[in-house]
Amino acid sequence: MDLGIPTLIEAPGPEESARLCKELGFSFVELNMNLPEYQGLDVPLLQSVMERYGVYFTIHLDENMDVCDFNPRVAEAYTLTMLEAIRAARELGVPVLNMHLSDGVYFTLPDKKAYLYDMNREHFFGRIREFTARCEEAAGGEVTVCIENTGVYALPFLREAVELFLQSPLFGLTFDIGHDHSAGGVDRPVILEHEDRLRHFHIHDALGRKNHMRLGTGELDLAWYIALAQRNRCRAVLEVKTAQALRESVEWLMEHQLICHN
C-alpha cells in the first residue's frame, strides 16, 4: 500500500511537499487545488519535482467544486477546471483525482432541511450524466476520479448520485475514515457495499466530531481500516495537518507494525 502526505500549510509548494514526502519515506503527495499554488497545475515544474525526489502526485480537487450548480456559467467553470485537472493528470501520470460531492443549497424548514438538488432531481442527475461523459472523454481511460465521503451519504439523493457515478469505470471511491466517524458512521455502509470500487483512503484519527488527529490519539480502529485499504490495494493519504503530526503518526504505525518504513 502506497502512503502519501497531504499538502500542508507549512509546506505548500510542490518542492517543499516532495522533500518532506521523501524524508518520511512516503510515495506521493496529494496536491490540494484549494491552495493558490495549484489554481493552475504547472506540469513541467511538477514533472521536474517528481524526477528529482522520486515521488508522484495525486490531486485533491477544489472542495467547493459543484458541477451541478443551477447557474450554467458557474457549473461550466467548475467542469472546465475538472477537465483541465484531468488533462494535467494524464501528462503527469497522476493515478487518482479526489473529489467531494456537493449537496448544494438547502432551505431550513420547521421540520426538515429541503435540499434544492433533491427537489430538482432531473436537473441534478442530468448534470451528473453530462459531467461524467465529458470527464470520460478527457480521461481516456488513464486516470481514476475518486468520490470522497464527507458525511453526507445519509441523504438518499446523494446515495443515488454515487450509484450513478459508479456506473462509469472512470469513478471510484475514497474512504475518509474520520469524516465517516464524525458523521456517526453514515457513509460506511455505502462504501462497503461498493468495496470493489475503493481506490483511495484518507487516514486520520478521530474522537467524537473531531478528526484529522494524529494516529493513536482518537478512538478509531485504525488497524481495521488499514487492513481494508491493503485488501483493496488502495493508496492512502495520512491526512493530518502538520509535519510533526505526520512524523508521530509514522512512528505510531511502525510501533504497531502496520507499515514497514523505508
Side-chain angles (χ1 to χ4, degrees):
M1 178 178 69
D2 281 0
L3 287 175
I5 70 169
T7 312
L8 303 178
I9 292 294
E10 64 194 276
E15 183 141 6
E16 300 162 272
S17 295
R19 187 183 300 118
L20 177 60
C21 183
K22 178 81 169 180
E23 174 195 331
L24 293 171
F26 282 17
S27 300
F28 68 93
V29 177
E30 186 146 285
L31 303 177
N32 191 319
M33 291 187 69
N34 283 96
L35 291 170
E37 287 83 357
Y38 304 110
Q39 293 308 301
L41 294 171
D42 187 335
V43 171
L45 172 62
L46 294 172
Q47 287 173 328
S48 173
V49 170
M50 287 193 299
E51 291 168 5
R52 281 185 282 123
Y53 289 94
V55 301
Y56 66 91
F57 296 115
T58 59
I59 295 173
H60 192 303
L61 296 154
D62 188 330
E63 293 181 9
N64 298 311
M65 191 173 74
D66 186 355
V67 299
C68 298
D69 196 280
F70 291 107
N71 186 322
R73 293 181 294 276
V74 173
E76 182 65 7
Y78 280 126
T79 299
L80 291 176
T81 299
M82 176 65 159
L83 298 179
E84 289 173 4
I86 288 174
R87 294 185 188 106
R90 290 181 66 176
E91 290 188 68
L92 292 165
V94 167
V96 166
L97 297 96
N98 184 82
M99 64 175 277
H100 287 193
L101 187 57
S102 175
D103 55 359
V105 174
Y106 60 83
F107 281 56
T108 302
L109 303 178
D111 60 338
K112 66 178 182 178
K113 292 178 180 178
Y115 289 85
L116 297 187
Y117 286 156
D118 192 23
M119 298 168 63
N120 296 271
R121 286 172 166 240
E122 184 176 349
H123 165 90
F124 181 60
F125 294 123
R127 285 285 192 191
I128 289 175
R129 292 186 183 94
E130 178 187 345
F131 173 72
T132 297
R134 294 175 69 180
C135 289
E136 286 175 338
E137 182 178 3
E142 296 182 25
V143 300
T144 299
V145 178
C146 287
I147 302 167
E148 177 185 348
N149 61 296
T150 56
V152 295
Y153 290 170
L155 300 172
F157 75 97
L158 287 185
R159 291 200 302 272
E160 291 179 41
V162 171
E163 298 285 349
L164 183 55
F165 275 119
L166 292 181
Q167 289 178 16
S168 167
L170 170 63
F171 288 91
L173 295 174
T174 294
F175 195 172
D176 188 304
I177 66 176
H179 288 172
D180 176 59
H181 182 79
S182 296
V186 298
D187 296 333
R188 180 167 161 172
V190 176
I191 291 168
L192 294 183
E193 183 181 347
H194 299 287
E195 183 178 334
D196 62 320
R197 303 298 291 275
L198 269 174
R199 300 289 182 270
H200 202 55
F201 270 69
H202 285 174
I203 292 178
H204 43 108
D205 218 332
L207 184 64
R209 296 187 63 82
K210 183 179 180 181
N211 56 44
H212 297 291
M213 300 166 62
R214 65 180 173 85
L215 303 192
T217 61
E219 56 192 358
L220 292 183
D221 183 356
L222 294 167
W224 185 89
Y225 290 104
I226 290 169
L228 178 65
Q230 291 172 331
R231 183 166 72 244
N232 289 282
R233 300 180 180 179
C234 296
R235 294 173 179 82
V237 179
L238 212 56
E239 204 184 24
V240 294
K241 298 304 182 180
T242 68
Q244 184 60 30
L246 278 169
R247 293 187 179 96
E248 292 174 358
S249 293
V250 170
E251 291 173 2
W252 186 90
L253 288 168
M254 293 175 63
E255 288 171 5
H256 290 78
Q257 299 182 330
L258 294 174
I259 63 166
C260 296
H261 201 40
N262 293 344

